[in-house]
Amino acid sequence: MDWLTDYKIPVGKTAKAVFEWMNDNLGGVFDAISVAMEAMINGILWLLQTPHPFVIIAIFLAITWFLQHSWKVCLGVLIGFSFILNQGYWEETTESLTLILSACVVCMGLGVPIGIAVAHRPRLYRFMVPVLDLMQTLPTFVYLIPAIVFFGLGMVPGLIATVIFVLPAPIRLTHLGISTTPQPLLEAATAFGATPKQRLWKVELPYALPQIMAGLNQTIMLSLSMVVIAALVGANGLGVPVVRALNSVNTALGFESGFIIVVVAILLDRMLRVKTK
């Protein structure tokens, strides 16, 4: 098989050359992105950590009641946050929530418009499918290498890696919701004189809202799954005690911090679960 490996396709060398060129020529762009994301992260972190924890819990309960209208779900959220406070992981939880909320802002801000655009352009979506598959199947540790090169250590590279991994979810689900809008609804709107913009805002988006909300839910769950990986590049949060427990083979710390991550995932899922009629 030496004759085959002698003519190895230079995938790694090409990727390295591309990243080096980007680092040399697009440094200003990466610095601007880093400053903007760091400002957003610091702002959200300030909002979550400055008030008393009970104030933040009350806000989450109000959001839960507004979305679910269920006292049972609100009680579950209250119990979950009380457990987090009892275990002493409030600061780490707010740091992870900061990463999750930042990823939601970026992913939904990019994913929904892209999903709408490709839903109206089937050829473009067929071209994007392999790219979306690559983003979700490429090992997430691979994303960390260029993230560290371009943005250094800290929350920003963790956020960048999270966005790359999570972004396909809102794109796919927004595309699904928009592209499956019943044709009779669109024809009726056109017959009543609706413009393409009016059809989008008054017909397609309301019909696709459950799928878009499902995309938000998936964005949050997938972002939460990245907290441990983000901790490897210096991002604070619940991933830090998990990594520390792994390095020291501390079973108690690992189980404790891992269980807190599970509790946070359950809370966010129950809060944002899409109701089906």
Side-chain angles (χ1 to χ4, degrees):
M1 297 294 292
D2 291 340
W3 62 271
L4 186 59
T5 56
D6 288 340
Y7 299 96
K8 181 179 178 180
I9 300 174
V11 176
K13 292 181 179 179
T14 302
K16 180 182 178 181
V18 170
F19 288 134
E20 288 179 349
W21 181 89
M22 293 174 65
N23 194 34
D24 293 337
N25 296 276
L26 300 177
V29 176
F30 294 132
D31 289 341
I33 294 174
S34 180
V35 170
M37 289 192 171
E38 192 168 355
M40 178 177 61
I41 290 171
N42 291 335
I44 296 175
L45 192 61
W46 182 86
L47 290 175
L48 292 177
Q49 290 188 343
T50 301
H52 193 277
F54 289 155
V55 175
I56 301 300
I57 293 174
I59 293 174
F60 275 98
L61 288 174
I63 295 173
T64 304
W65 177 257
F66 176 77
L67 295 176
Q68 303 297 334
H69 296 288
S70 171
W71 67 268
K72 294 180 180 179
V73 178
C74 291
L75 179 60
V77 171
L78 178 60
I79 293 173
F81 278 118
S82 299
F83 176 76
I84 292 171
L85 283 173
N86 173 262
Q87 296 296 303
Y89 281 87
W90 180 255
E91 183 177 353
E92 291 84 355
T93 299
T94 55
E95 290 168 344
S96 290
L97 287 175
T98 297
L99 181 63
I100 293 169
L101 292 175
S102 300
C104 286
V105 170
V106 177
C107 290
M108 298 304 291
L110 294 175
V112 172
I114 293 175
I116 294 172
V118 297
H120 292 146
R121 299 167 180 82
R123 289 186 178 179
L124 178 59
Y125 181 70
R126 286 195 296 269
F127 173 79
M128 284 189 62
V129 167
V131 179
L132 299 177
D133 292 340
L134 178 66
M135 293 170 66
Q136 287 192 305
T137 56
L138 193 68
T140 50
F141 289 98
V142 178
Y143 300 145
L144 300 181
I145 301 172
I148 293 173
V149 172
F150 297 147
F151 301 102
L153 297 175
M155 294 287 279
V156 174
L159 176 58
I160 295 295
T162 301
V163 167
I164 295 174
F165 177 68
V166 175
L167 186 58
I171 293 177
R172 291 182 189 274
L173 287 168
T174 302
H175 167 268
L176 176 64
I178 297 294
S179 61
T180 56
T181 304
Q183 194 63 29
L185 286 179
L186 298 175
E187 293 175 353
T190 303
F192 280 99
T195 64
K197 186 176 181 180
Q198 290 173 329
R199 287 200 304 269
L200 172 64
W201 285 99
K202 297 185 178 181
V203 179
E204 293 177 325
L205 283 177
Y207 185 84
L209 185 60
Q211 283 77 19
I212 294 174
M213 288 300 297
L216 175 61
N217 185 281
Q218 287 296 304
T219 297
I220 292 174
M221 293 297 106
L222 291 172
S223 299
L224 185 58
S225 71
M226 291 288 290
V227 295
V228 177
I229 296 176
L232 297 176
V233 293
N236 298 325
L238 293 170
V240 174
V242 175
V243 174
R244 190 182 302 125
L246 180 63
N247 292 333
S248 60
V249 198
N250 189 330
T251 306
L253 178 62
F255 185 85
E256 186 179 83
S257 54
F259 194 74
I260 294 295
I261 294 175
V262 173
V263 170
V264 173
I266 293 173
L267 293 179
L268 295 176
D269 179 67
R270 295 300 183 272
M271 287 176 59
L272 298 170
R273 176 169 290 182
V274 180
K275 294 183 178 180
T276 56
K277 297 181 180 180

